[in-house]
Every structure is written in structure tokens, then in C-alpha cells.
Amino acid sequence: MPAALPTSGPAARTFANPVLPGTHPDPSICRVPGVTRADGTVAPDDYYLVTSTFEYFPGLPVFHSHDLVTWTQVGHAIHRTGQVDLSSVPSSGGLYAATIRHHAGTFFVVTTLVHTQGQGGHLLVTATDPAGPWSDPVWLEGDGIDPSLFVDDSTGRVWFTATRLADPGEWEGQTEVWLRELDLAAGALVGPEHVLWRGALHGAVWAEGPHLYRVGDHYYLLASEGGTEHRHAVSVARADAVTGPYTGNPANPILTHRHLGRDFPVVGVGHADLVETAAGEWWMVLLGSRPYGGYFPNLGRETFLAPVVWEDGWPVVAPGRGHVAGSFPLPDVGARLPGTGAPAEVGRPAGAGAVVVRETFDGSSNDGLSLAWNQVRTGEPSWSLTERPGHLRLALSPATLSDATTPAFLGRRQQHTDMDLTVRVDVDPAGPDEWAGLAVRQSEEAWIAAVVTRAAPGAAGVPGGRELLVVERFGGEEIVVGRAALGPLGLAVGPADVALHAAGQDYAFGVETPGGFVPVATVHGGRLSSPEAGGFLGVWVGPYATGRGTATATVADIESVEYRGR
């Protein structure tokens, strides 16, 4: 299991954005009030947050916090292969934006499964413990994506919203937000459908990510538009009845960074959700991206936090600034130190330092893999924690990272612009098509691998020695960008520490030796970003093995993986 070793200083009175670095898009949040203890004190409120995961499994990570700033993953809403079929989804297909809500002791998550050959569409899963287990899905009718739930405490009724292409639309890409009542007991949408919204601005595309709230005497509809890229924006409308009609805020959009240019540190902000603290403060969670080394947001769409105030009956985001900053004052969540009434010091300080996570794979069962890891899709896993205790064993399956299937790859999100990854791999490849080492994956069409393999036999048929091969795929081509014999480095046999040192967009691949890091190839990482590679995702990094189209008995044993964010 991992040992996380943060090297930050004492708590500060500001926090650092993003609060969830790395690919954590489409955040949704809910608050569960703290219970009264036997001694009369009140436990801190609990906040829970989910983000979308597309083709990765387990899917829809569930995070917990007491302060809105420091988040710990507690589980996944989609954690069994029998819940959904991701085996055939393309990259950036699968599980789209989700919403999490809590009502009457039960947690609800709704999402949409897209581009699957199995059952797809809107689905609802529930749990009494956000760590799981989560239920099998209840499939709900209706078109579109980005479902949300709203529990109207004034009536006890539950409402379901989603967004779909307007038909007919006034312009290409125009969408509409629709609403129906949800009968939780029956697990079905009931009653008439209501179209609530088609966007705030004329010509705006993809009004999406809708969420409903009741604040005072009004119902508020929060939605994003402009597309989840550079022109992303957040707008709001309100009505006297949940079914509308909704009138847009004259100040829409209430948040966007598109006017700040591509050199601004945070771009593409949107897809937001709101939460109120026990102290009466309002906060917004939202996605945004941080390009670096050019317009290359390799870390993907991350989760940010921004303050909200209400003026003239409308929400104002980041008052006095008007944009999502790198840091804000800590939220007042109403937490108090026991017996003192004094505010508790909570939160991750702005400018928190390096993070080191070392995974040693000492689980006694395959359930022992830590929550940070994902495989690609829900195909049969090619890994085991039990076949060689103390190791992650990867079978060199025929599948490669270029195949739209489940390769022998386990990844975790890249969360730092400067980072190091070291994979200690023990493998005896039989030939040049047997690979094992590490990979950086964005999609089938954009990845880089540094792998231990065996050189082709010499002219006299003498078996080749082990070598490190660095391969990049982009634009439909796989190119060998570097290779080095391992024998002269004292690594002819036994474990090898295959390493990646990323400094901005310079991704240096090589091996660690007693004498230090030996680089083999440096690749520009910008082609792994979504503006270059397409899709909606940042990159995952981790151990990888393949037989390159051929079934083989060879296995790769991963003794450890160390991720160091700098």
C-alpha cells in the first residue's frame, strides 16, 4: 500500500488551487451536516465530491473533505465490472459528467454512459456509505448527457435534469436543458417533461452541466456553455417555480476566462456546482486547465474551488477578482475546536511542497490495490497482486496501448508539471516484441513508453541482450526515439528501475543506476495534451507490459512504483 509523504509547512490561512490536481473534470459536490455527539458537540460537516473518468475503471472517484480544500479519496461509484460495460468505449467515451447528492441517509450518483456497445444512457447508483459498496445501476430514460438531481426540500419531490441537442436548434451545437420528476422508489422518471433553458448567449453552444438549487424564494439553474475548452463559461438563470420559466442573469456569464487569453495560468473554466457551508458561505467547485510550456494542459481538466457571494439575488463568483485565482482565503465551514468555540485551522496551505507516493504492492488480495490506480476499460485485467507476493504481476498480454481494449497498463494521474516516476520491473523478455516498463498515456493515439525488451538476435543467431526502448505514438505512427543496452549498465538480468523525469514539457526517459539517472531519450510532452491529441483527458502514468500482438507466458513483476511531484 502507498505511503504519502507531503513536505509542506504548517497550515496557512489561504489554500492552493487546484484542490484536486490532475485529471479530475466535471466536479460535483454535496454537504452532509455533522451529527450531534453524545457530549453535545457537533461533528464537522462532511463534503463529498465526484469527478468524471470516461474510459478508465474503476470509475467516478468519490472524495471526502471536512474543509472543502483537503480531499481524500474514499472509493469509486463504479467499482465492479458488472455495473457498466466499458470494454468497447473509445478514448474519451464512457462515463461522462456525474452528480452526487445526499438525501434521507442515502447517497445518489447519476451519470451517463456513452459510446458503449452494451447498455448505455443515464444511470443512477446509490450507497449508504460513500466508500461503497455502490448499487447496480438503475437505468433512466431520456436523451443527452450531464444528468443532475435536485431534491426540493419544500415539497419533498426529486427532479432529474440533463442536457441534449436542441431539435430543431436555431444554430449548430445549440442544446437544451430538460427536466422531469424522478420517482426514487420506482427508479423511473415520471410526469411531463419541461424544457428549461437553451443557453444564456445567442449563438452559444453546448449549454450543459446543469444543476438546480433553491435559494430563498427562487429556483436557480446553473449551467456551462461554450464547450469544455478555451471558450468555456458558467451562466445562471432563475425562476419562481422549479419547472420555469427561467430568466437569465443580465450579467451572464458569471464566470469565464476566455477573455483573459491563452497565456493566463488557468483556462477553460466551467462545469460548476455550488455548495453552502454551515457558516453560510457559498463556494463553487469547477473544472479548469493549466497549460504550461505553451498551450499544452497535460494535466487535463482539474478541480478548482472559488468563493461565491449573492448580490441582488444573483451569485457573484470570486468577488473583487472575477477569475479563478491560484489561491483564496480558506473557507469558513463552521468547524470549531472541541470545547473552545474557536475556529479550527483547516486546509492545505497555498504553495504546498513536493509529494512522494511509493507503492510497494504488498496487498494480500487483488482488492489491495490503492484507489489512485486505474486500468483502461473493463476488460479482463492482466494483473495480479497474489501470484508473486509483494509484487504487481503484469502478464504480457497481446494488447498494446494502441488497441481500444484493456492493455496490461495500470495508471495514476500525472498531477504535477514537474514529476518523477520510477518503476522497478523484473522481466526476462524472450524477444524484441516483449515489452515491460512504464508508459504515459493520453489515448490510443497519444502515448510514450519506456520498456525493457530484448534486442533482436545477431547475425549469427546469438540472442540479443536486454535493452531499454523508448517509443512514442502520435498521428497513427509508433516511432522509436531512443534505445540503450542495459548490460553495460549492470542490468543484463534482474530488476531494472525504469524512470521518467518530467521537467515541464521535457519528458526524459531512462534508467536509474547506482551512479545516477542514465537518460535514453527526451520527448516533448505537449503532444500528450488534449489540444494536440484530441479528446477530453490529461495523462495517466504507470507500469505497462505487452506481447505486441502475441500471446506469451512471459510476465513482468513490478516491485515498486514511486511517483514524486516536484
Side-chain angles (χ1 to χ4, degrees):
M1 297 298 290
L5 305 173
T7 59
S8 58
R13 295 304 298 166
T14 60
F15 69 89
N17 262 320
V19 292
L20 281 177
T23 302
H24 293 101
D26 310 321
S28 176
I29 191 170
C30 69
R31 174 171 70 98
V32 180
V35 298
T36 301
R37 304 185 181 101
D39 61 2
T41 60
V42 178
D45 292 343
D46 295 292
Y47 297 88
Y48 295 95
L49 184 147
V50 297
T51 62
S52 54
T53 46
F54 298 86
E55 71 264 31
Y56 285 97
F57 176 82
L60 308 184
V62 181
F63 295 90
H64 170 261
S65 178
H66 284 305
D67 60 21
L68 292 175
V69 170
T70 308
W71 293 93
T72 301
Q73 188 174 349
V74 297
H76 291 89
I78 301 298
H79 55 91
R80 298 185 304 278
T81 57
Q83 287 175 289
V84 299
D85 181 6
L86 299 175
S87 62
S88 61
V89 301
S91 289
S92 292
L95 294 167
Y96 273 28
T99 297
I100 186 168
R101 295 293 184 256
H102 180 263
H103 174 61
T106 299
F107 292 88
F108 300 85
V109 167
V110 287
T111 186
T112 311
L113 175 57
V114 301
H115 305 315
T116 178
Q117 295 180 10
Q119 185 167 10
H122 302 306
L123 63 97
L124 166 69
V125 291
T126 63
T128 55
D129 182 346
W134 288 78
S135 71
D136 287 335
V138 173
W139 296 92
L140 301 172
E141 61 182 309
D143 297 328
I145 57 172
D146 294 0
S148 182
L149 294 178
F150 168 62
V151 180
D152 191 343
D153 292 331
S154 68
T155 64
R157 299 169 76 178
V158 181
W159 298 89
F160 178 94
T161 61
T163 189
R164 67 190 176 204
L165 284 170
D167 185 17
E170 298 177 63
W171 54 81
E172 185 178 358
Q174 185 184 27
T175 57
E176 61 189 17
V177 176
W178 58 271
L179 171 82
R180 284 187 71 187
E181 188 171 1
L182 174 61
D183 184 332
L184 290 177
L189 301 181
V190 297
E193 179 184 282
H194 307 269
V195 175
L196 305 184
W197 189 243
R198 286 192 166 191
L201 302 184
H202 185 81
V205 299
W206 290 107
E208 59 186 355
H211 295 297
L212 285 171
Y213 317 88
R214 184 180 174 94
V215 182
D217 295 330
H218 291 102
Y219 295 88
Y220 288 84
L221 172 63
L222 191 73
S224 295
E225 59 186 52
T228 184
E229 291 149 342
H230 189 76
R231 295 180 179 86
H232 216 188
V234 181
S235 295
V236 67
R238 73 184 180 195
D240 294 328
V242 68
T243 55
Y246 282 82
T247 301
N249 184 349
N252 277 330
I254 61 171
L255 179 66
T256 186
H257 283 192
R258 59 195 177 203
H259 62 296
L260 299 175
R262 294 180 182 271
D263 291 334
F264 198 71
V266 181
V267 300
V269 296
H271 205 110
D273 200 1
L274 294 172
V275 67
E276 184 182 15
T277 73
E281 289 189 351
W282 285 81
W283 289 83
M284 175 182 283
V285 292
L286 66 148
L287 66 79
S289 298
R290 295 179 292 163
Y292 59 99
Y295 198 76
F296 305 121
N298 295 40
L299 306 189
R301 298 173 300 160
E302 306 172 284
T303 292
F304 291 76
L305 180 70
V308 174
V309 298
W310 292 82
E311 295 181 357
D312 302 321
W314 295 105
V316 177
V317 185
R321 300 191 187 187
H323 65 265
V324 179
S327 65
F328 287 106
L330 283 170
D332 183 355
V333 294
R336 295 293 183 267
L337 294 173
T340 69
E345 291 283 340
V346 293
R348 182 169 64 97
V355 173
V356 179
V357 179
R358 182 177 176 82
E359 186 93 42
T360 54
F361 305 110
D362 55 359
S364 59
S365 72
N366 283 346
D367 293 332
L369 199 64
S370 69
L371 295 172
W373 295 100
N374 300 107
Q375 68 177 42
V376 183
R377 304 183 180 87
T378 51
E380 187 67 25
S382 299
W383 58 270
S384 170
L385 292 177
T386 60
E387 291 184 12
R388 183 180 176 186
H391 294 76
L392 170 71
R393 171 160 288 184
L394 296 179
L396 273 63
S397 70
T400 74
L401 287 171
S402 300
D403 300 323
T405 181
T406 300
F409 169 74
L410 282 175
R412 59 184 302 129
R413 296 160 180 83
Q414 181 182 346
Q415 296 181 282
H416 302 78
T417 57
D418 297 338
M419 53 80 66
D420 305 317
L421 182 76
T422 303
V423 175
R424 176 164 291 181
V425 56
D426 188 2
V427 64
D428 184 18
D433 285 329
E434 295 189 356
W435 294 2
L438 65 81
V440 184
R441 179 192 186 271
Q442 196 269 349
S443 65
E444 279 76 58
E445 294 302 323
W447 54 262
I448 309 168
V451 291
V452 176
T453 186
R454 189 164 298 281
V462 178
R466 290 202 312 179
E467 63 178 359
L468 188 77
L469 195 69
V470 181
V471 181
E472 179 187 23
R473 180 178 177 87
F474 188 81
E477 292 185 287
E478 292 181 18
I479 301 173
V480 176
V481 294
R483 67 196 323 148
L486 292 179
L489 300 176
L491 297 171
V493 296
D497 286 331
V498 183
L500 158 65
H501 295 282
Q505 294 298 344
D506 291 331
Y507 284 61
F509 297 87
V511 290
E512 299 286 356
T513 71
F517 177 65
V518 178
V520 174
T522 299
V523 181
H524 190 277
R527 296 206 288 192
L528 297 169
S529 66
S530 58
E532 296 292 310
F536 301 127
L537 295 171
V539 299
W540 268 248
V541 297
Y544 169 55
T546 179
R548 292 181 49 78
T550 301
T552 174
T554 304
V555 295
D557 289 326
I558 311 299
E559 181 178 324
S560 64
V561 178
E562 182 176 285
Y563 176 99
R564 181 184 296 269
R566 295 183 269 118

